[in-house]
Amino acid sequence: MAFGIKREELVQWKKEVENGEIAFLTHYWLDHRFPSMKTVTKVGCCDVEKLVAWGKKHGLKREWIDFHEKYPHYDLIGSFQEDILKAEGMLEQLNRFK
């Protein structure tokens, strides 16, 4: 379950993904499989090969892509989330939810 973001933020993320950009969206998240994780960052791009290349740069595997509808994305949690957001200069995404 996702919460803590505005509809406009989700609409903007979807637009960027559809336009073939690497797009980031962080939000609060509850999932019984990961009880200690409170946030997730979705990194998406409709150009799957571009997304795979971006992921490879950060040690992510193609198999980890969530091919959800028309918004393929990686779900970043835990140390992957923090390390990648730091590397991408996007810590404001994570700091907003701490």
Side-chain angles (χ1 to χ4, degrees), residues 56-87:
K56 189 178 282 189
K57 182 172 82 168
H58 293 289
L60 304 176
K61 298 179 181 180
R62 179 187 195 99
E63 306 85 72
W64 298 347
I65 294 174
D66 181 353
F67 288 96
H68 186 269
E69 297 177 15
K70 59 183 179 178
Y71 304 103
H73 64 276
Y74 286 105
D75 289 317
L76 306 180
I77 59 174
S79 61
F80 273 113
Q81 180 186 33
E82 191 167 347
D83 293 346
I84 292 171
L85 288 175
K86 280 181 186 175

Side-chain angles (χ1 to χ4, degrees), residues 4-16 24-25 96:
I5 57 171
K6 298 176 183 166
R7 176 172 285 291
E8 298 82 31
E9 292 171 298
L10 179 58
V11 168
Q12 181 64 34
W13 181 81
K14 287 181 174 183
K15 182 179 176 182
E16 291 172 4
F24 295 79
L25 180 68
R96 176 177 163 197

Side-chain angles (χ1 to χ4, degrees), residues 1 5-6 15-17 27 31 33 36-37 40 42-43 45 52 54 57 60 64 66-67 85 87-88 93 95-96:
M1 177 164 55
I5 57 171
K6 298 176 183 166
K15 182 179 176 182
E16 291 172 4
V17 171
H27 57 78
D31 188 313
R33 298 170 298 168
S36 65
M37 304 299 162
V40 63
K42 295 189 177 297
V43 181
C45 181
V52 168
W54 177 88
K57 182 172 82 168
L60 304 176
W64 298 347
D66 181 353
F67 288 96
L85 288 175
E88 292 287 331
Q93 288 259 339
N95 291 336
R96 176 177 163 197

Side-chain angles (χ1 to χ4, degrees), residues 37-53:
M37 304 299 162
K38 304 299 181 212
T39 62
V40 63
T41 299
K42 295 189 177 297
V43 181
C45 181
C46 70
D47 180 340
V48 174
E49 293 311 313
K50 183 175 181 179
L51 185 61
V52 168

